[in-house]
Amino acid sequence: MIKLFASDMDGTLLNPNHVISDTTAQAIRDLQAQSDIEFLIATGRDYRSAKWLLDQHQLTARIIAVNGAATYDVKGNLEDVFALDLADTQTIIERFAVPGTQTLVSLKSLNGYYVNDLALYRQRMEAFMDHAKEATSDDSLAQLELHFKELLPLKDYQPDLDPPLKIMLIDRRPEILETARHFLKDFAIDLTSSGPDNLEITSLKAQKGLAIEAYCQHHGFTKHQVLTIGDSANDRSMLAMFPNSYAMANAGQAIKDLASYEAPSNAEDGVAHIIYQLLKQMK
């Protein structure tokens, strides 16, 4: 019997407008009200961003944030942190945060969000927002506005005062990202991606699957009592490590190959579909 339902956010729990739909929010409430199954978020987002999305529907959940680098209980208390090595962080920043290269380097620390080129980041964000006004909801635009306000210059980052959790390299040129992969291949890091224009760098210990496994060991759950669902490369560990795993229909084939089953797409409220399927099986 399933005791833990672990869901990714972007591309999975969130619809194409980057919000939790009313249908999916109600499904989560029904899961929590009609069963003893715990609903858990496992996301590449930081805690504040993930919590804001849940708050729009008055939902509560344990949150594994920043791809497993930080875990928070349902009250927002920090439980675990797996930070990047400080020397590796400095080396990566010095290698890629070079003025004029058009490569954006963002760093998510425990308490802040830093970018190497604020002007370029703003330019790309504003272009996205202009397009998004035609395609997304007011809630999605509000998320972008909040994120825009929290950005800080990367040069102001002080790693000895604020642990580095994730570095993201953002570049639309595939050859630049491939060069970065080659440079990073010997680092003791977890290297993944949440889209075709980025690389995500975290500690080797900061993986969604490992974070879920640690939680299961603490609470006495077996791997067969866990359901995981996701859509992208940063979900690969939690899809591969647990037998009751679902890839979204909107996932790439490589991700589908890691999962045991396939769920409807995020445009079709796929998470809600699996929740109601699970509740029906329990009756």
Side-chain angles (χ1 to χ4, degrees):
M1 179 180 289
I2 299 298
K3 293 187 177 181
L4 182 67
F5 191 113
S7 175
D8 169 51
M9 291 198 100
D10 291 88
T12 303
L13 187 68
L14 308 187
N15 64 20
N17 290 336
H18 308 288
V19 294
I20 302 172
S21 72
D22 291 341
T23 297
T24 298
Q26 186 57 52
I28 295 169
R29 283 191 284 270
D30 289 341
L31 179 72
Q32 293 173 328
Q34 298 175 25
S35 75
D36 293 326
I37 299 171
E38 180 179 356
F39 183 79
L40 177 149
I41 296 291
T43 180
R45 290 175 177 249
D46 63 25
Y47 174 78
R48 285 173 292 183
S49 175
K51 178 69 162 51
W52 187 90
L53 286 159
L54 293 175
D55 285 347
Q56 305 316 298
H57 294 279
Q58 293 78 52
L59 297 170
T60 59
R62 179 179 299 274
I63 296 173
I64 293 172
V66 200
N67 291 342
T71 301
Y72 299 82
D73 69 16
V74 294
K75 295 182 179 179
N77 299 309
L78 181 65
E79 293 187 328
D80 286 309
V81 175
F82 297 107
L84 282 160
D85 179 80
L86 296 186
D88 286 348
T89 299
Q90 189 62 37
T91 299
I92 293 168
I93 290 173
E94 289 176 355
R95 171 62 177 81
F96 295 104
V98 179
T101 62
Q102 298 297 300
T103 298
L104 285 170
V105 179
S106 70
L107 185 146
K108 178 66 190 77
S109 66
L110 187 60
N111 298 307
Y113 201 108
Y114 300 83
V115 179
N116 65 317
D117 190 332
L118 288 171
L120 180 59
Y121 195 93
R122 287 169 180 157
Q123 178 186 340
R124 292 187 182 176
M125 181 175 285
E126 286 167 358
F128 177 78
M129 289 178 70
D130 286 342
H131 170 73
K133 287 177 182 176
E134 302 296 326
T136 62
S137 67
D138 289 343
D139 280 351
S140 183
L141 293 173
Q143 289 180 67
L144 293 174
E145 292 286 1
L146 288 171
H147 178 59
F148 188 80
K149 292 177 181 178
E150 73 177 358
L151 298 174
L152 297 166
L154 185 58
K155 63 181 178 61
D156 293 344
Y157 175 59
Q158 300 182 48
D160 53 327
L161 300 178
D162 191 8
L165 302 186
K166 180 174 75 170
I167 298 172
M168 182 178 284
L169 306 180
I170 306 168
D171 201 300
R172 297 168 182 169
R173 298 166 294 179
E175 66 274 15
I176 299 299
L177 295 183
E178 187 57 35
T179 298
R181 284 184 182 275
H182 181 75
F183 176 82
L184 296 166
K185 64 182 177 62
D186 295 325
F187 283 70
I189 57 171
D190 185 59
L191 182 62
T192 185
S193 172
S194 56
D197 65 346
N198 70 64
L199 294 176
E200 297 185 354
I201 303 162
T202 58
S203 163
L204 266 179
K205 296 180 179 180
Q207 299 182 42
K208 294 180 182 182
L210 295 179
I212 295 170
E213 181 180 53
Y215 183 66
C216 290
Q217 290 173 348
H218 183 71
H219 289 271
F221 300 158
T222 69
K223 289 187 176 181
H224 289 275
Q225 293 174 319
V226 180
L227 187 154
T228 60
I229 185 166
D231 75 297
S232 65
N234 63 2
D235 300 317
R236 70 191 190 285
S237 61
M238 72 175 189
L239 297 178
M241 290 174 64
F242 297 91
N244 296 305
S245 59
Y246 288 79
M248 304 296 287
N250 49 284
Q253 190 57 48
I255 301 304
K256 292 179 180 179
D257 290 343
L258 290 173
S260 301
Y261 310 102
E262 184 171 323
S265 73
N266 64 330
E268 303 170 285
D269 295 311
V271 171
H273 177 89
I274 299 304
I275 286 175
Y276 286 126
Q277 177 179 288
L278 182 60
L279 289 174
K280 184 178 180 180
Q281 292 171 352
M282 294 173 60
K283 292 182 179 179

